């Protein structure tokens, strides 16, 4: 196939005369749009230009006196005027609008009225100094994020929008909201004015608009509308079922299933994990406390110790970062003598089953080797250790731990169901696995991004590979991994990005 030829851009006079001669080809000749490439980028500008023309809008390649709407993205009004003025253009007769005006017009099929929220705002006089004075590293792995921070109302709102985007399988939008929330978690003071975060990384216009709405109205109408929406509530409930992902939940939602009662009446054939998830739904959607997690760790440690004396069992995930509760219990297992840990999971599972501790389990074998993982294969965010995903009977504080956890009477049982994940790793990979399984998810993602883009390395829960030197970098502790990456060590309690 012959490649498409790039369309030539004519001079200002030629472009204007061509556009004028084609006024009758546009649905709305009285509206002439010019897209400012500054901060928007050529690819996005070209895409919006073609889309606008397909919808019947006149979009000129160059600025002329005929332009009625100058559309830009992530610019202040004075920046746009200055940019145009430096090229000899007078923009006083044109509307200076945000790209949201264009997208809303394209959705409506006609130019919408320019409202105050569409107009570009002037850069506050103090914002330049504030932006210069306020400095925050771009990568979340360069920042310290404690559990207790001062901007919960904003981060909760952004996190809800991120969750909704994830349920819609819009990974890019979800990540943008997650990064914005992470930046505000690390912000050192309570946010009372949007000017405080001018220059703050990872805060795009959408996130800033949510922040501004909360500052002005005490809430975000978009967030509240999302929280109340039928799809969000149904998808959140359905994906809360153990063994159900967003794709399956979306299919069920499309079939009219909104809750467990409708799922049961639908006649859908569920797999073994999903049946267990429905059976124990109330327990599994209730937070696991630190006391309950510690009780699970003791039971698993006893079973592991009986099979492999000297093995180490570590409670990881949010609990290692200091969280008082979580949605599951993650335990990482290793042994100082490498190789003895292989095949441990089936033996531990057999002991836990004999104790009537398991309600459901599924085990997977180790599938990672250095030869298969690198250098040809890049590091993955998903590890390939020997593992058991399970639902267990967790002793409740009022229950007795007498070596057996029987008793299925709901009125007087001494246990509750909870998700418990067991992962076994070789001792040489323990530091990497410990770092990867501690989280938070965004912190780990940013660590891998930093390794790739800033250090030309590949980081996973198995290893750190230097692509320049073409060798693995050994590490016995998390601190050594941070040192390899030229990063200041961040303790687990400060990794809550």
């Amino acid at each position: 196939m012959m490649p498409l030829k790039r369309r030539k851009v004519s001079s200002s006079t030629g472009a204007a005369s061509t556009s004028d001669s084609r006024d009758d080809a546009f649905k709305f000749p009285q509206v002439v749009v010019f897209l400012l490439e500054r901060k928007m980028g050529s690819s996005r500008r070209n895409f919006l230009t073609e889309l606008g023309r397909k919808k019947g809008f006149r979009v000129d390649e160059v600025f002329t006196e005929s332009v009625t709407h100058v559309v830009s993205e992530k610019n202040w009004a004075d920046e746009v005027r200055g940019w145009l003025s430096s090229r000899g253009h007078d923009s006083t007769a044109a509307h200076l609008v945000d790209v949201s005006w264009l997208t809303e017009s394209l959705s409506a099929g006609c130019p919408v009225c320019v409202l105050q929220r569409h107009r570009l705002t002037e850069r506050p006089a103090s914002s330049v100094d504030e932006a210069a004075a306020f400095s925050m590293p771009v990568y979340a792995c360069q920042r310290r994020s404690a559990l207790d921070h001062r901007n919960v109302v904003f981060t909760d709102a952004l996190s809800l929008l991120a969750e909704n985007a994830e349920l819609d399988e819009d990974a890019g939008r979800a990540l943008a909201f997650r990064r914005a929330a992470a930046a505000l978690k690390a912000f050192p003071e309570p946010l009372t004015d949007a000017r405080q975060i001018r220059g703050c990384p990872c805060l795009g216009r959408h996130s800033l608009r949510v922040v501004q709405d909360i500052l002005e109205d005490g809430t975000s109408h978009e967030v509240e509308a999302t929280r109340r929406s039928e799809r969000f509530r149904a998808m959140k409930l359905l994906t809360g079922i153990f063994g159900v992902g967003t794709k399956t939940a979306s299919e069920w939602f499309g079939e009219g299933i909104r809750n467990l009662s409708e799922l049961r009446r639908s006649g859908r054939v569920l797999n073994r994990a999903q049946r267990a998830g429905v059976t124990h739904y109330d327990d599994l959607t209730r937070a696991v406390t630190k006391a309950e997690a510690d009780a699970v760790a003791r039971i698993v440690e006893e079973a592991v110790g009986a099979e492999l004396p000297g093995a180490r069992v570590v409670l990881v995930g949010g609990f290692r970062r200091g969280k008082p509760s979580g949605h599951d219990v993650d335990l990482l297992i290793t042994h100082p003598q490498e190789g003895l840990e292989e095949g441990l999971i089936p033996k531990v599972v057999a002991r836990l089953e004999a104790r009537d501790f398991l309600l459901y389990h599924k085990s997977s074998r180790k599938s990672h080797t250095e030869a298969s993982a690198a250098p040809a294969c890049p590091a993955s965010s998903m590890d390939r250790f020997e593992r058991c995903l399970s639902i267990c009977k967790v002793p409740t504080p009022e229950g007795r731990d007498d070596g057996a956890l029987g008793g299925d009477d709901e009125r007087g049982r001494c246990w509750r169901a909870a998700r418990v994940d067991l992962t076994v790793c070789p001792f040489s990979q323990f530091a990497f696995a410990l770092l990867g399984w501690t989280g938070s998810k965004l912190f780990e993602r940013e660590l891998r991004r930093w390794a790739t883009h800033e250090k030309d390395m590949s980081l996973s829960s198995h290893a750190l590979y230097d692509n320049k030197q073409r060798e693995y970098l050994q590490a016995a502790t998390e601190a050594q991994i941070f040192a390899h990456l030229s990063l200041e060590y961040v303790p687990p309690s400060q990794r809550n990005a």
Side-chain angles (χ1 to χ4, degrees):
M1 180 181 293
M2 293 293 290
L4 295 174
K5 292 183 178 179
R6 191 180 297 273
R7 184 166 58 84
K8 295 181 179 179
V9 179
S10 58
S11 64
S12 299
T13 305
S17 61
T18 301
S19 297
D20 291 341
S21 65
R22 294 179 56 208
D23 278 355
D24 57 348
F26 299 104
K27 293 181 181 179
F28 321 105
Q30 74 282 9
V31 173
V32 181
V33 178
F34 172 70
L35 294 175
L36 191 71
E37 188 173 317
R38 184 180 189 271
K39 294 187 180 181
M40 180 182 291
S42 59
S43 297
R44 180 160 166 77
R45 182 178 188 258
N46 292 338
F47 170 76
L48 291 173
T49 296
E50 295 304 317
L51 183 59
R53 288 171 177 167
K54 286 179 182 179
K55 295 282 189 177
F57 288 77
R58 175 178 162 181
V59 184
D60 281 3
E61 290 285 348
V62 295
F63 184 88
T64 67
E65 294 181 357
S66 301
V67 170
T68 60
H69 294 72
V70 176
V71 176
S72 76
E73 191 167 31
K74 301 177 183 177
N75 288 285
W76 298 104
D78 59 297
E79 289 179 315
V80 172
R81 283 195 296 270
W83 189 89
L84 291 171
S85 178
S86 68
R87 287 155 178 76
H89 303 310
D90 181 7
S91 59
T92 55
H95 294 290
L96 304 184
V97 295
D98 180 70
V99 71
S100 60
W101 172 85
L102 179 60
T103 56
E104 288 179 26
S105 297
L106 295 177
S107 297
C110 64
V112 298
C113 294
V114 176
L115 304 177
Q116 188 59 40
R117 59 188 172 87
H118 297 133
R119 300 182 189 279
L120 298 186
T121 55
E122 301 293 336
R123 175 166 32 188
S126 60
S127 69
V128 176
D129 295 334
E130 289 169 357
F134 175 71
S135 176
M136 177 183 287
V138 173
Y139 290 86
C141 58
Q142 297 174 285
R143 307 191 295 255
R144 292 174 178 256
S145 303
L147 278 174
D148 298 323
H149 60 90
R150 304 183 178 188
N151 294 292
V152 175
V153 64
F154 303 102
T155 59
D156 282 355
L158 294 170
S159 296
L160 184 138
L161 293 179
E163 183 180 12
N164 185 55
E166 289 162 353
L167 294 175
D168 287 340
E169 298 185 275
D170 189 340
R173 191 160 56 94
L175 180 59
F177 285 128
R178 293 287 184 201
R179 284 178 173 158
L184 292 184
K185 284 181 181 180
F187 196 70
E189 57 190 57
L191 185 58
T192 58
D193 191 310
R195 287 176 294 180
Q196 291 173 266
I197 51 175
R198 298 296 183 199
C200 186
C202 306
L203 283 166
R205 283 196 175 273
H206 196 156
S207 296
L208 284 172
R209 188 166 67 244
V210 172
V211 169
Q212 189 66 53
D213 287 345
I214 296 174
L215 287 171
E216 293 177 355
D217 305 327
T219 186
S220 164
H221 300 296
E222 179 184 3
V223 171
E224 293 308 312
T226 300
R227 196 194 309 276
R228 293 192 301 267
S229 73
E230 181 185 36
R231 177 178 172 80
F232 176 77
R233 288 186 286 112
M235 287 290 290
K236 189 173 174 65
L237 184 148
L238 294 174
T239 54
I241 301 172
F242 180 76
V244 177
T246 53
K247 184 176 180 180
T248 297
S250 184
E251 291 176 0
W252 290 355
F253 182 83
E255 295 171 7
I257 298 172
R258 303 291 185 271
N259 52 50
L260 295 184
S261 298
E262 292 176 352
L263 177 60
R264 293 188 180 100
R265 292 196 299 268
S266 70
R268 294 280 308 195
V269 178
L270 306 181
N271 61 35
R272 192 166 66 92
Q274 293 165 352
R275 290 197 300 272
V278 171
T279 300
H280 303 289
Y281 181 83
D282 289 340
D283 272 1
L284 297 181
T285 52
R286 182 158 54 94
V288 180
T289 66
K290 179 61 164 58
E292 291 169 336
D294 288 338
V296 170
R298 286 193 295 270
I299 293 170
V300 172
E301 194 167 21
E302 180 183 327
V304 169
E307 293 295 337
L308 184 59
R312 183 180 176 187
V313 179
V314 180
L315 181 62
V316 289
F319 290 114
R320 185 165 184 256
R321 301 197 309 273
K323 294 183 71 174
S325 63
H327 70 279
D328 64 357
V329 181
D330 294 316
L331 296 168
L332 185 62
I333 306 167
T334 192
H335 192 280
Q337 188 173 342
E338 187 138 346
L340 293 183
E341 80 289 342
E342 292 186 9
L344 179 62
I345 283 292
K347 300 173 185 177
V348 172
V349 166
R351 281 193 172 269
L352 295 177
E353 283 187 308
R355 188 174 177 172
D356 194 27
F357 183 60
L358 300 179
L359 294 163
Y360 164 89
H361 70 88
K362 181 179 181 181
S363 300
S364 60
R365 287 182 167 186
K366 169 186 172 183
S367 62
H368 175 273
T369 61
E370 286 191 1
S372 66
C377 300
S380 168
S381 61
M382 298 296 294
D383 60 54
R384 297 177 295 283
F385 292 119
E386 186 180 359
R387 178 178 301 160
C388 176
L389 307 180
S390 68
I391 300 175
C392 300
K393 293 180 177 179
V394 180
T396 53
E398 64 273 12
R400 293 181 298 108
D401 182 11
D402 55 5
L405 294 171
D408 291 329
D409 185 351
E410 293 289 337
R411 293 168 298 177
R413 73 180 189 182
C414 59
W415 57 269
R416 57 157 293 189
R419 285 186 53 184
V420 178
D421 295 346
L422 309 179
T423 301
V424 176
C425 76
F427 192 70
S428 61
Q429 299 175 26
F430 179 68
F432 300 99
L434 184 63
L435 178 60
W437 273 89
T438 295
S440 65
K441 185 177 179 180
L442 182 66
F443 187 91
E444 299 301 327
R445 183 187 184 104
E446 293 288 274
L447 264 179
R448 295 191 297 273
R449 192 165 71 97
W450 168 272
T452 300
H453 297 294
E454 304 298 332
K455 304 301 293 181
D456 195 15
M457 296 179 181
S458 299
L459 174 66
S460 72
S461 292
H462 295 276
L464 178 62
Y465 187 79
D466 189 322
N467 296 304
K468 290 180 180 177
Q469 302 297 324
R470 297 187 178 183
E471 64 179 3
Y472 285 99
L473 303 179
Q474 303 302 314
T477 65
E478 292 175 303
Q480 290 177 5
I481 301 174
F482 278 84
H484 284 316
L485 294 170
S486 302
L487 287 170
E488 179 185 351
Y489 176 70
V490 179
S493 62
Q494 300 293 316
R495 300 178 199 167
N496 296 284

